[in-house]
Amino acid sequence: MNIILLGPPGAGKGTQSAGLVERHGMKQLSTGDMLRAAVKAQTPVGLEAKAVMDRGELVSDEIVSSLIDENLAAMEAGQGAIFDGYPRTAAQAADLDRILEKNGRSLDRVIELEVDVDALVERITGRFSCANCGALYHDTANPPSKEGVCDNCGSTEFKRRPDDNEETVRTRMAEYRAKTAPILPGYEERGIVSRVNGMDGIDEVAGAIDAILAK
Ligand code: ADP
Ligand code: AMP
């Protein structure tokens, strides 16, 4: 299975990807995570991407598509891939088709997480993650069960993304509307789009995604 999780920033793509990895042994390919790792390691790609990411704009198609290309090529043939935060433009969608074909894969499903735009700023400004294992949390909607301790690894260190502030979120939403939402109709024509209500609780959304994948 090769699937895209599509939805605006804060829709729950990372949260649901983590669940799919755990439940089905799939691999999450998040261009945002790859770029943040490159920024942290101060690679040439990271140095180029940092300012763009801090503004909430999109990094070049060439950079993100080559990250996906490298990561997909390194996967075992039998393992399913979840594309999280990629593709985000029409050019990336075309790149993905080529990259999948080159690797003997094809796209099975595009799952759109439908969310209320008004809820997204709150979701994003409340987002934090474990500094050790990356587990995702939210101040009110999904806090660790023991305050200050990661449920997954027990670490007591957490971090917040520098781009998770209200001003940058608005730019990221505008980028989504202008460049990412328009790629959906192409997938609809191929008959591979399914929608889930991303405003439901995390477990309900996960159940809806599993039901789609089981069809
Ligand atoms: P994305 O990867 O689409 O940007 P995330 O998965 O990082 O979104 O989720 C954004 C924030 O919203 C996180 O803090 C996460 O814990 C929280 N969240 C995710 N899914 C839900 C949900 N169904 N209901 C409430 N909060 C959620
Ligand atoms: P995300 O973690 O998906 O919210 O992405 C964080 C930031 O990384 C975005 O605001 C962009 O600046 C950049 N980014 C991530 N994925 C892509 C992509 N597919 N195309 C362009 N920029 C991306």
Side-chain angles (χ1 to χ4, degrees):
M1 273 268 176
N2 300 290
I3 66 169
I4 296 174
L5 289 186
L6 199 73
K13 303 180 297 293
T15 302
Q16 294 303 327
S17 295
L20 286 166
V21 167
E22 202 178 299
R23 296 193 303 280
H24 303 302
M26 298 174 80
K27 186 169 166 71
Q28 175 190 15
L29 296 172
S30 156
T31 41
D33 286 350
M34 292 171 198
L35 289 167
R36 280 184 288 280
V39 169
K40 195 172 172 200
Q42 298 190 306
T43 66
V45 161
L47 293 173
E48 190 179 331
K50 186 175 185 331
V52 181
M53 292 170 77
D54 285 345
R55 289 197 301 271
E57 294 168 6
L58 293 186
V59 172
S60 78
D61 294 332
E62 291 72 22
I63 287 182
V64 291
S65 289
S66 57
L67 288 170
I68 287 290
D69 200 357
E70 284 162 24
N71 279 270
L72 197 70
M75 281 175 62
E76 281 178 31
Q79 190 179 25
I82 311 155
F83 298 96
D84 162 10
Y86 179 93
R88 263 175 154 100
T89 65
Q92 292 176 27
D95 288 343
L96 178 59
D97 284 337
R98 274 193 296 276
I99 294 167
L100 284 168
E101 198 186 340
K102 198 170 80 179
N103 285 279
R105 294 173 180 259
S106 60
L107 195 55
D108 296 288
R109 281 274 122 208
V110 176
I111 300 179
E112 186 191 8
L113 298 174
E114 287 188 301
V115 278
D116 212 333
V117 179
D118 298 335
L120 295 178
V121 170
E122 213 256 310
R123 280 222 187 154
I124 290 181
T125 51
R127 168 163 62 190
F128 62 100
S129 64
C130 172
N132 178 49
C133 73
L136 274 173
Y137 295 100
H138 187 276
D139 290 325
T140 52
N142 183 30
S145 43
K146 181 162 183 253
E147 197 186 333
V149 182
C150 177
D151 292 342
N152 189 47
C153 74
S155 166
T156 53
E157 304 278 323
F158 295 89
K159 60 183 182 185
R160 286 180 194 262
R161 284 169 46 174
D163 60 341
D164 278 352
N165 59 76
E166 194 163 341
E167 193 191 329
T168 308
V169 170
R170 303 233 175 253
T171 308
R172 286 156 62 198
M173 306 277 187
E175 290 281 69
Y176 181 82
R177 269 195 305 276
K179 298 173 186 162
T180 309
I183 69 179
L184 254 174
Y187 290 128
E188 262 157 22
E189 275 170 27
R190 285 157 64 173
I192 54 173
V193 177
S194 301
R195 297 197 161 75
V196 301
N197 181 5
M199 297 308 292
D200 284 342
I202 292 172
D203 293 344
E204 279 171 278
V205 177
I209 292 175
D210 277 355
I212 290 163
L213 298 183
K215 271 188 205 152

